[in-house]
């Protein structure tokens, strides 16, 4: 007996998650998409779970409703791995800090820095700013204090501090022991490509 709805071919590129992301990114419910396209909610749900494959006409219709180029469903996402041992060593001005650029060179949306700080490491005596919107400091090991013009914020292992990147600040390691921290800077103030 032949199935009414054949199972999806395992060799077909999964597109369901991309369709779901486009739909929810526009604040559209499954019911609204079904009503707009004339397709059943059950079919759309199965499609978003990659349990069925649409016809070309249905795919084009969905992409038009979702303002999504059809080709975007089949392109590989840009994924770049940076291994710790291969990450370039950089110096952004910290004293007694070994820093590595963990985000890809040329990445302008975000910058990820891994810093191993000696017990006397610091960001300098003077407050400084970074040309970015947001900085996040996550302390992996040790203790670090971030000093602003009007206050100081002590951080211990596991703590994270988020603040505007253009806020004058500096930092120093506390407790006479080394520290390991990760900085996330958005957008990247320096791509490392020059």
């Amino acid at each position: 007996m032949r199935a009414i709805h054949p199972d999806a071919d395992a060799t077909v590129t999964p597109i369901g998650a991309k369709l779901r992301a486009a739909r929810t990114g526009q604040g559209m419910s499954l019911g609204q998409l079904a009503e707009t396209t004339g397709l059943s909610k059950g079919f759309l749900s199965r499609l978003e779970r990659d349990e069925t494959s649409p016809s070309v006409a249905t795919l084009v219709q969905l992409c038009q409703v979702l303002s999504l180029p059809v080709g975007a469903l089949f392109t590989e996402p840009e994924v770049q791995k940076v291994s710790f041992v291969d990450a370039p060593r950089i110096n952004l001005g910290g004293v007694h800090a070994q820093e590595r650029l963990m985000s890809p060179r040329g990445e302008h949306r975000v910058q990820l820095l891994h810093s191993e700080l000696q017990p006397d490491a610091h960001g300098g005596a003077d407050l400084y700013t970074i040309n970015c919107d947001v900085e996040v400091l996550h302390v992996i090991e040790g203790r670090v204090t971030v000093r602003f013009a009007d206050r100081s914020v002590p951080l211990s292992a596991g703590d994270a501090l988020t603040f505007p990147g253009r806020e004058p600040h500096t930092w120093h390691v506390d407790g006479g022991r080394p520290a390991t921290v990760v900085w996330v800077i958005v957008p990247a103030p320096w791509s490392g490509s020059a």
Side-chain angles (χ1 to χ4, degrees):
M1 177 181 224
R2 191 171 169 205
I4 296 173
H5 298 287
D7 291 335
D9 185 347
T11 63
V12 174
T13 302
I15 60 171
K18 290 181 181 181
L19 287 170
R20 183 182 310 109
R23 175 180 60 78
T24 58
Q26 295 178 33
M28 186 180 287
S29 71
L30 201 57
Q32 290 170 319
L33 183 59
E35 186 176 319
T36 304
T37 61
L39 301 168
S40 74
K41 283 175 56 175
F43 173 78
L44 291 171
S45 177
R46 289 183 66 221
L47 183 59
E48 287 186 356
R49 293 189 316 266
D50 290 312
E51 294 175 355
T52 190
S53 298
S55 67
V56 173
T58 299
L59 188 60
V60 169
Q61 177 188 19
L62 285 168
C63 287
Q64 286 175 341
V65 169
L66 295 171
S67 301
L68 183 68
V70 175
L73 294 174
F74 301 100
T75 59
E76 288 290 321
E78 185 179 326
V79 176
Q80 298 181 53
K81 176 183 176 182
V82 177
S83 298
F84 183 77
V85 296
D86 297 327
R89 293 181 186 271
I90 60 171
N91 184 341
L92 295 181
V95 177
H96 301 290
Q98 292 185 13
E99 299 173 308
R100 291 179 186 254
L101 179 63
M102 296 304 300
S103 48
R105 288 187 180 272
E107 174 57 68
H108 63 278
R109 296 166 295 185
V110 65
Q111 190 169 69
L112 179 66
L113 305 172
H114 180 277
S115 301
E116 294 181 7
L117 309 173
Q118 295 178 19
D120 55 348
H122 58 87
D126 297 328
L127 301 180
Y128 65 91
T129 60
I130 293 182
N131 186 22
C132 67
D133 294 331
V134 177
E135 283 187 65
V136 179
L137 170 61
H138 181 201
V139 179
I140 305 298
E141 184 179 337
R143 295 189 336 216
V144 176
T145 294
V146 179
R147 182 170 56 91
F148 299 96
D150 61 345
R151 68 190 175 282
S152 292
V153 180
L155 303 168
S156 297
D159 292 345
L161 181 67
T162 302
F163 56 95
R166 294 178 183 91
E167 183 71 29
H169 65 282
T170 191
W171 55 269
H172 64 271
V173 174
D174 290 330
R177 299 185 61 146
T180 302
V181 302
V182 172
W183 293 91
V184 179
I185 305 170
V186 179
W190 170 75
S191 67
S193 59

